[in-house]
Amino acid sequence: MDTEARLTERDRSSASHDGTEEGSRFACSLRSPRSSRWLPGVSGLSGLSWGRVGLLGLACGVFALLLSNFVVQPFLIPSGSMEPTLQVGDRVLVNKVAYRFGTAPERGDVVVFDGTGSFVQEPTGENPVTGLLHGAAAALGLAEPAETDFVKRVVGVGGDRVVCCDKGGRVEVNGRAVDERYLYAGDAPSSVPFDIVVPRGTLWVMGDHRSNSRDSRDHLGDPGGGMVPVDKVIGRADWIGWPLGRWAALEPTEAFQGVRGPGDAEPTGAGADYGDAAAPGDEAAPGDEAAPGDEETPGGMETPVPGGVHG
């Protein structure tokens, strides 16, 4: 028995000091329990990391939603009504603070607006959960915008008289012909004539692809006469953010630089036949007479020329 005990102790001693395979196996047996004690810790750290990743993702999502609601919102372009300026599938970044500090939309601005009450009737009720999810996806530019949201170019602001067309086939604003070089190649400024005065606080908007755009011209006979209230404007489209090959800033157009304010207009061409148009609520100066057939409808908008509704 004593001999066996000494042999056992000798084996243990040699296993801990020599470099034999037996010793290495024994050494592994000593480290294995220690390694197993670390395994739960590693697993715990992994769980904690995934939790942090989840919280970080949630925080980023909330930040993106806040950013899109108050500062810059991406919008997916679903149609070709603004070609060539905006293409189907473009994601534009809409500046939502552009008109928040006393400034208003200007002629030539490309704006996104809520067309409820002007371009579309009040929307029907929908599943609130579905609406919330779609709204969040649209706010991040991952889904098409709401059916009530539109993107168009401002052609007339409050008080402007917008006429189409002059002898050269161009749109006139306050008696000045507009050279709309941003129009889709081959498109006429408008295939139908119209002559309107934009009420104060509203906008007259048109698409750049005139033959493929349902805009203010199509709603002349509707309540509001196709005018978009300024307070329905969501923001100004300032950049194309996606796809990467289309990344660009939307530069201001020079088409309206020669247009004067409504009170300073000097009508020429088609507009000269009508005289100066008074803004809604303004009384005409003594001696001013409307041209024959120019009877104003309630609200100050003139009756469009027959056939003047864009089909």
Side-chain angles (χ1 to χ4, degrees), residues 49 106 133 136 160 179 200 208 216 236 254 263 266 291 297 303:
S49 298
E106 299 179 355
L133 293 176
D160 283 349
D179 187 10
R200 302 289 183 181
D208 289 356
S216 289
R236 184 180 64 212
E254 298 179 356
E266 295 180 0
T297 59
T303 304

Side-chain angles (χ1 to χ4, degrees), residues 185-244:
D187 266 10
S190 181
S191 59
V192 293
F194 58 86
D195 181 4
I196 57 93
V197 174
V198 184
R200 302 289 183 181
T202 66
L203 305 170
W204 175 267
V205 297
M206 302 170 75
D208 289 356
H209 193 171
R210 296 286 160 81
S211 63
N212 190 35
S213 174
R214 291 184 58 82
D215 47 45
S216 289
R217 298 168 296 169
D218 297 278
H219 301 281
L220 281 168
D222 297 343
M227 311 298 172
V228 176
V230 171
D231 59 11
K232 287 287 190 176
V233 174
I234 296 171
R236 184 180 64 212
D238 281 350
W239 308 276
I240 300 174
W242 187 263
L244 293 179

Side-chain angles (χ1 to χ4, degrees), residues 32-44:
S32 295
R34 184 178 300 175
S35 299
S36 65
R37 287 198 299 272
W38 281 100
L39 290 176
V42 172
S43 177

Side-chain angles (χ1 to χ4, degrees), residues 11-25:
D11 290 340
R12 289 178 180 174
S13 176
S14 62
S16 61
H17 294 290
D18 62 22
T20 62
E21 180 182 357
E22 192 71 26
S24 66
R25 285 202 300 266

Side-chain angles (χ1 to χ4, degrees), residues 87-112:
Q87 305 286 340
V88 176
D90 282 352
R91 284 172 172 79
V92 296
L93 301 180
V94 175
N95 183 355
K96 302 184 78 169
V97 298
Y99 307 125
R100 281 192 182 165
F101 301 101
T103 58
E106 299 179 355
R107 305 178 195 98
D109 287 355
V110 176
V111 298
V112 173

Side-chain angles (χ1 to χ4, degrees), residues 55-75 92-94 96 100 135-142:
L55 289 175
L56 181 61
L58 179 62
C60 289
V62 171
F63 175 77
L65 286 174
L66 290 174
L67 187 69
S68 67
N69 279 328
F70 299 104
V71 184
V72 177
Q73 181 175 351
F75 275 86
V92 296
L93 301 180
V94 175
K96 302 184 78 169
R100 281 192 182 165
L140 298 175
L142 302 177

Side-chain angles (χ1 to χ4, degrees), residues 262-280:
D264 301 326
E266 295 180 0
T268 60
D273 297 333
Y274 296 93
D276 290 336

